[in-house]
Amino acid sequence: MTLGASIANLLDEYAPLVSKRVSVVDTAPWFDRDYRDLRKLRRLAEKKKNRSEEHFLHYKDLCHEATALANTKKKDFVEAVIKKSENKTRTLYQVVNKVLDRKQSRILPDYTEDIEVLASDFNNFFSEKVEKIRDNIPASPIPDCSDTNATPLFEFEPTCISELEDIIKESG
Protein backbone atom coordinates (compact mmCIF):
# COMPACT_ATOMS: atom_id res chain seq x y z
CA MET A 1 0.00 0.00 0.00
CA THR A 2 1.32 3.42 -0.91
CA LEU A 3 1.78 6.30 1.50
CA GLY A 4 -1.06 8.26 -0.15
CA ALA A 5 -3.46 5.32 0.16
CA SER A 6 -2.49 4.81 3.81
CA ILE A 7 -3.10 8.47 4.58
CA ALA A 8 -6.45 8.35 2.73
CA ASN A 9 -7.48 5.28 4.75
CA LEU A 10 -6.51 6.95 8.02
CA LEU A 11 -8.43 10.10 7.07
CA ASP A 12 -11.50 8.03 6.14
CA GLU A 13 -11.32 6.24 9.48
CA TYR A 14 -10.65 9.19 11.83
CA ALA A 15 -12.03 12.13 9.88
CA PRO A 16 -14.65 10.82 7.48
CA LEU A 17 -16.07 13.10 4.87
CA VAL A 18 -19.34 14.59 6.09
CA SER A 19 -21.73 16.39 3.80
CA LYS A 20 -23.66 19.36 5.16
CA ARG A 21 -26.60 21.23 3.73
CA VAL A 22 -25.98 24.96 3.62
CA SER A 23 -28.89 27.28 3.11
CA VAL A 24 -28.28 30.63 1.51
CA VAL A 25 -29.62 33.41 3.68
CA ASP A 26 -30.85 36.57 2.04
CA THR A 27 -28.88 39.60 3.04
CA ALA A 28 -30.52 41.95 5.47
CA PRO A 29 -32.17 44.99 3.88
CA TRP A 30 -29.90 47.33 5.85
CA PHE A 31 -26.76 45.50 4.63
CA ASP A 32 -25.39 48.01 2.11
CA ARG A 33 -22.10 48.67 0.29
CA ASP A 34 -20.62 50.76 3.15
CA TYR A 35 -21.05 47.94 5.64
CA ARG A 36 -19.90 45.29 3.16
CA ASP A 37 -16.70 47.26 2.43
CA LEU A 38 -16.00 47.75 6.13
CA ARG A 39 -16.43 44.02 6.73
CA LYS A 40 -13.93 43.28 3.95
CA LEU A 41 -11.41 45.61 5.59
CA ARG A 42 -12.05 43.93 8.94
CA ARG A 43 -11.46 40.46 7.45
CA LEU A 44 -8.20 41.62 5.86
CA ALA A 45 -7.10 43.10 9.18
CA GLU A 46 -8.07 39.86 10.94
CA LYS A 47 -5.57 37.96 8.77
CA LYS A 48 -2.81 40.36 9.81
CA LYS A 49 -3.73 40.84 13.48
CA ASN A 50 -1.10 38.41 14.83
CA ARG A 51 1.81 40.10 13.05
CA SER A 52 2.20 43.01 15.44
CA GLU A 53 0.52 44.97 18.22
CA GLU A 54 -0.28 47.73 15.71
CA HIS A 55 -2.07 45.29 13.41
CA PHE A 56 -4.01 43.88 16.36
CA LEU A 57 -5.14 47.34 17.49
CA HIS A 58 -6.15 48.22 13.93
CA TYR A 59 -8.19 45.01 13.72
CA LYS A 60 -9.83 45.74 17.08
CA ASP A 61 -10.74 49.27 15.96
CA LEU A 62 -12.29 47.91 12.76
CA CYS A 63 -14.31 45.39 14.80
CA HIS A 64 -15.74 48.17 16.96
CA GLU A 65 -16.38 50.36 13.92
CA ALA A 66 -18.16 47.52 12.04
CA THR A 67 -20.34 46.72 15.06
CA ALA A 68 -21.27 50.37 15.53
CA LEU A 69 -22.07 50.78 11.82
CA ALA A 70 -24.20 47.61 11.81
CA ASN A 71 -26.16 48.82 14.85
CA THR A 72 -26.69 52.24 13.25
CA LYS A 73 -27.80 50.72 9.94
CA LYS A 74 -30.23 48.34 11.70
CA LYS A 75 -31.63 51.13 13.86
CA ASP A 76 -32.13 53.46 10.89
CA PHE A 77 -33.80 50.70 8.89
CA VAL A 78 -36.20 49.73 11.68
CA GLU A 79 -37.06 53.39 12.35
CA ALA A 80 -37.83 53.90 8.65
CA VAL A 81 -40.06 50.81 8.51
CA ILE A 82 -41.90 51.88 11.67
CA LYS A 83 -42.38 55.38 10.33
CA LYS A 84 -43.63 54.03 7.00
CA SER A 85 -46.19 51.76 8.71
CA GLU A 86 -47.22 54.25 11.38
CA ASN A 87 -50.98 53.65 11.16
CA LYS A 88 -50.82 49.94 10.32
CA THR A 89 -50.97 47.98 13.57
CA ARG A 90 -50.41 44.61 11.96
CA THR A 91 -47.29 45.77 10.16
CA LEU A 92 -45.95 47.30 13.37
CA TYR A 93 -46.40 44.01 15.23
CA GLN A 94 -44.66 42.16 12.40
CA VAL A 95 -41.72 44.58 12.60
CA VAL A 96 -41.49 44.21 16.38
CA ASN A 97 -41.64 40.42 16.17
CA LYS A 98 -38.97 40.36 13.49
CA VAL A 99 -36.69 42.72 15.43
CA LEU A 100 -37.14 40.66 18.60
CA ASP A 101 -36.58 37.50 16.54
CA ARG A 102 -39.90 35.97 17.56
CA LYS A 103 -40.83 33.10 15.34
CA GLN A 104 -44.39 31.87 15.14
CA SER A 105 -44.44 28.27 16.16
CA ARG A 106 -46.76 25.91 14.43
CA ILE A 107 -49.43 24.95 16.91
CA LEU A 108 -51.48 22.68 14.70
CA PRO A 109 -50.48 19.02 14.63
CA ASP A 110 -49.72 17.20 11.40
CA TYR A 111 -52.55 14.77 10.71
CA THR A 112 -53.22 13.44 7.27
CA GLU A 113 -55.23 10.27 7.81
CA ASP A 114 -56.97 9.61 11.14
CA ILE A 115 -59.59 12.34 11.61
CA GLU A 116 -60.90 10.78 14.84
CA VAL A 117 -57.48 11.02 16.48
CA LEU A 118 -57.24 14.64 15.35
CA ALA A 119 -60.67 15.44 16.81
CA SER A 120 -59.79 13.68 20.05
CA ASP A 121 -56.49 15.56 20.34
CA PHE A 122 -58.22 18.89 19.76
CA ASN A 123 -60.82 18.01 22.37
CA ASN A 124 -58.13 17.07 24.89
CA PHE A 125 -56.15 20.21 24.14
CA PHE A 126 -59.07 22.57 24.73
CA SER A 127 -60.39 20.62 27.72
CA GLU A 128 -56.96 20.82 29.37
CA LYS A 129 -56.73 24.51 28.47
CA VAL A 130 -60.07 25.27 30.16
CA GLU A 131 -59.05 23.17 33.16
CA LYS A 132 -55.76 25.10 33.53
CA ILE A 133 -57.59 28.42 33.30
CA ARG A 134 -60.11 27.32 35.94
CA ASP A 135 -57.30 26.12 38.22
CA ASN A 136 -55.60 29.52 37.99
CA ILE A 137 -58.71 31.51 38.90
CA PRO A 138 -58.60 32.21 42.63
CA ALA A 139 -61.63 31.05 44.57
CA SER A 140 -63.72 33.99 45.74
CA PRO A 141 -65.74 33.82 48.94
CA ILE A 142 -69.47 33.35 48.51
CA PRO A 143 -71.26 36.40 49.93
CA ASP A 144 -73.72 35.86 52.75
CA CYS A 145 -77.08 37.12 51.47
CA SER A 146 -79.18 35.98 54.42
CA ASP A 147 -79.03 39.37 56.18
CA THR A 148 -80.52 41.40 53.34
CA ASN A 149 -84.04 42.79 53.48
CA ALA A 150 -84.63 42.14 49.78
CA THR A 151 -87.68 40.25 48.70
CA PRO A 152 -87.04 37.27 46.49
CA LEU A 153 -88.21 37.46 42.90
CA PHE A 154 -90.42 34.65 41.73
CA GLU A 155 -91.90 36.18 38.60
CA PHE A 156 -91.06 39.01 36.24
CA GLU A 157 -93.41 41.51 34.69
CA PRO A 158 -92.83 42.67 31.11
CA THR A 159 -91.37 46.14 30.60
CA CYS A 160 -91.30 48.67 27.80
CA ILE A 161 -88.58 50.88 26.28
CA SER A 162 -89.80 54.08 27.98
CA GLU A 163 -89.59 52.41 31.41
CA LEU A 164 -86.01 51.27 30.67
CA GLU A 165 -85.09 54.79 29.50
CA ASP A 166 -86.45 56.24 32.77
CA ILE A 167 -84.45 53.73 34.85
CA ILE A 168 -81.26 54.55 32.93
CA LYS A 169 -81.79 58.31 33.29
CA GLU A 170 -82.35 57.98 37.05
CA SER A 171 -79.20 55.89 37.51
CA GLY A 172 -77.05 58.72 36.38
Side-chain angles (χ1 to χ4, degrees):
M1 183 182 291
T2 65
L3 179 62
S6 297
I7 291 174
N9 286 338
L10 285 173
L11 281 174
D12 286 341
E13 183 178 343
Y14 293 103
L17 186 63
V18 178
S19 59
K20 300 275 183 177
R21 173 170 278 190
V22 178
S23 58
V24 178
V25 179
D26 294 336
T27 59
W30 53 267
F31 200 110
D32 61 0
R33 179 171 293 288
D34 293 339
Y35 183 63
R36 186 174 289 116
D37 292 344
L38 186 58
R39 281 176 49 131
K40 284 179 184 177
L41 287 173
R42 184 183 66 187
R43 279 195 300 276
L44 290 173
E46 184 179 15
K47 293 176 183 176
K48 298 177 185 178
K49 73 178 180 184
N50 293 328
R51 293 182 185 171
S52 70
E53 183 68 25
E54 184 180 325
H55 284 103
F56 179 76
L57 292 174
H58 179 64
Y59 166 69
K60 208 170 175 184
D61 288 341
L62 285 174
C63 285
H64 293 302
E65 192 177 335
T67 302
L69 183 62
N71 289 335
T72 303
K73 297 277 184 189
K74 287 178 195 176
K75 180 178 165 262
D76 292 345
F77 172 75
V78 170
E79 284 177 355
V81 170
I82 289 173
K83 191 168 194 149
K84 191 167 75 174
S85 58
E86 211 167 339
N87 297 323
K88 301 173 189 164
T89 307
R90 182 176 185 189
T91 310
L92 285 174
Y93 274 105
Q94 288 173 343
V95 170
V96 168
N97 287 334
K98 191 167 188 171
V99 168
L100 296 177
D101 198 26
R102 293 182 186 161
K103 305 250 189 285
Q104 282 190 336
S105 61
R106 186 172 180 184
I107 57 172
L108 297 176
D110 290 326
Y111 285 93
T112 54
E113 294 177 18
D114 198 351
I115 301 296
E116 290 180 15
V117 172
L118 175 63
S120 175
D121 285 353
F122 266 95
N123 182 36
N124 292 339
F125 173 80
F126 285 107
S127 297
E128 290 171 8
K129 192 86 160 167
V130 169
E131 203 172 294
K132 287 178 187 175
I133 291 171
R134 285 182 178 159
D135 290 343
N136 289 330
I137 296 175
S140 58
I142 299 171
D144 183 21
C145 299
S146 61
D147 295 342
T148 62
N149 295 332
T151 56
L153 297 174
F154 295 107
E155 58 182 73
F156 297 93
E157 295 178 18
T159 188
C160 62
I161 294 178
S162 61
E163 186 180 2
L164 289 175
E165 287 175 348
D166 292 340
I167 293 171
I168 292 171
K169 287 177 186 174
E170 287 175 12
S171 66

